[in-house]
Amino acid sequence: MTECSYLESAFRMLAFGEQITNLSTMIGPQVDGAARETTARLGEAILKGGSISYKEGLSLFDIEDSADIFDLLAWANRIRERFKGNKVHLCSIVNAKAGGCSENCSFCAQSAAYSTAAPKYGFVDAAPVLEAAEEALKNSVTAVGLVAAWKGLNEGPMLDDVCKRIEELAASGKARPDASLGLIKTQKVADRLKEAGLECYGHNLESSKRFFPNHCTSHTYEDRLETIGYLKNAGIKICSGGIIGMVETRQHRCDLAFALRDLGANVVPINILNPIPGTPLADNPPLPPMEILKTIACFRFILPRQEIMIAGGRTVNLRDLQSMIFMAGASALMVGNYLTTLNQPVEKDLQMLKDLGLDPNWDKHDFADQEQNVAAAL
């Protein structure tokens, strides 16, 4: 049937009072509006302070049609604007101790188990940390995180050195002192970090509990939860997220998002695997950009009040679609270079934010907006 004859047929049906089920000039079945309606219903509920169930979250991860994905992104953007306004939380990191890590995380170029071109050096002195703080202040970056490649932090001289770097960073007044220092096995270590001025600790769950043994066997998922427990007891805010693109399923991603909701993470970094030669995941196929954006949007539905940060792997995986992370619900961004890979220049990120009408001057160091929003929803 030609387009002309299709329209003629439609007008004849109207003239005789017949019902038209599809007024498209394209030949094909009627578009199913169920996903659109479900997304709108869940989005409206969240805007009113509600939350979604695991089953509802999983249904969002399973959306396939591109038009429905764009609906999902649009609602995620509304949720971001409702709870975060136009503010974007910027963070940067310092590779404070590089390479030679005893753990066997299959995505990590710094593991001693793999032969990679990643740098190796001992714990840094004050100079690079304070330089990073100066850069942060100049570029509206809220936090500087000290990241160390080792299994974890114990009592002893190294803890003293770490606390000294944190104290120096806090005293500079130029950036919020953050750190990601691996596993913590005692409350005393967490308390020392808090006393030194640490405000937020990065400790990713990495993946769902069920998928975790697929990419790490040198420590457990429960070890990570234990560490987060000690930090929360010390009054330290939690930055915890994961990595997508490790051949995990959508259900694994959904599991991770709900686990992060349950533990009360303040910042949720989403990393996209950037396969590093020499690691077991070196040949992993990349996730399609739209699958990445859909994942971000699903996390925003599940975690409407959290800072959802897009971190490692965004430039290589999203390419020209990087600015769409904010439409997908992201409210935070890691800027500057990553641990072992390059990021785009911070000036380009700042211009992107300006073009989108977003403000990087984020001053909610205590994450009080999350607590207020939670109270309002109860």
Side-chain angles (χ1 to χ4, degrees), residues 182-184 201 203 222-231:
L183 299 174
I184 290 175
Y201 194 96
H203 198 63
E222 287 73 19
D223 289 331
R224 289 185 168 263
L225 290 177
E226 180 185 52
T227 293
I228 290 170
Y230 289 133
L231 294 162

Side-chain angles (χ1 to χ4, degrees), residues 20 25 32 63 71 118 135 148 158 178 219 223 260 286 320-321 341 353 370:
I20 301 175
T25 58
D32 181 7
I63 288 175
D71 274 337
E135 280 292 307
M158 184 51 68
D178 289 2
H219 63 269
D223 289 331
L260 293 166
D320 290 342
L321 298 187
T341 57
L353 296 178
Q370 296 178 4

Side-chain angles (χ1 to χ4, degrees), residues 18-77:
E18 297 178 48
Q19 185 177 4
I20 301 175
T21 59
N22 188 355
L23 268 178
S24 171
T25 58
M26 302 293 291
I27 304 303
Q30 184 176 3
V31 175
D32 181 7
R36 181 177 69 248
E37 292 170 2
T38 298
T39 300
R41 175 175 58 81
L42 297 179
E44 288 283 7
I46 293 167
L47 291 177
K48 293 175 182 176
S51 61
I52 66 174
S53 69
Y54 178 84
K55 183 178 179 180
E56 290 167 334
L58 191 56
S59 74
L60 298 179
F61 275 96
D62 284 337
I63 288 175
E64 293 282 2
D65 184 80
S66 71
D68 291 334
I69 291 174
F70 278 105
D71 274 337
L72 178 70
L73 301 186
W75 276 102
N77 185 53

Side-chain angles (χ1 to χ4, degrees), residues 57-168:
L58 191 56
S59 74
L60 298 179
F61 275 96
D62 284 337
I63 288 175
E64 293 282 2
D65 184 80
S66 71
D68 291 334
I69 291 174
F70 278 105
D71 274 337
L72 178 70
L73 301 186
W75 276 102
N77 185 53
R78 287 176 181 269
I79 295 168
R80 176 189 61 78
E81 289 190 350
R82 162 66 178 85
F83 294 107
K84 301 298 169 184
N86 73 333
K87 295 289 187 178
V88 175
H89 177 191
L90 300 183
C91 291
S92 63
I93 55 175
V94 174
N95 199 351
K97 185 272 174 187
C101 181
S102 63
E103 304 308 281
N104 67 355
C105 304
S106 58
F107 51 80
C108 185
Q110 299 197 86
S111 171
Y114 317 126
S115 178
T116 71
K120 296 181 181 179
Y121 52 79
F123 194 66
V124 296
D125 59 21
V129 177
L130 296 179
E131 287 171 9
E134 186 68 39
E135 280 292 307
L137 181 65
K138 182 175 72 175
N139 293 307
S140 300
V141 176
T142 299
V144 171
L146 306 181
V147 183
W150 54 41
K151 181 168 186 171
L153 190 59
N154 302 307
E155 295 179 56
M158 184 51 68
L159 177 59
D160 296 337
D161 289 345
V162 167
C163 288
K164 188 173 182 181
R165 293 292 91 81
I166 293 170
E167 288 166 357
E168 292 161 348

Side-chain angles (χ1 to χ4, degrees), residues 169-192:
L169 179 55
S172 76
K174 296 175 180 177
R176 188 184 74 218
D178 289 2
S180 180
L181 305 165
L183 299 174
I184 290 175
K185 304 301 291 184
T186 70
Q187 188 62 54
K188 187 173 181 179
V189 172
D191 292 342
R192 281 283 310 278

Side-chain angles (χ1 to χ4, degrees), residues 329-358:
S331 60
L333 195 64
M334 182 172 287
V335 298
N337 291 332
Y338 306 123
L339 293 174
T340 63
T341 57
L342 299 177
N343 194 2
Q344 68 182 18
V346 65
E347 293 80 10
K348 190 171 183 179
D349 283 332
L350 292 173
Q351 185 63 53
M352 175 174 66
L353 296 178
K354 182 178 180 181
D355 292 343
L356 292 169
L358 298 173

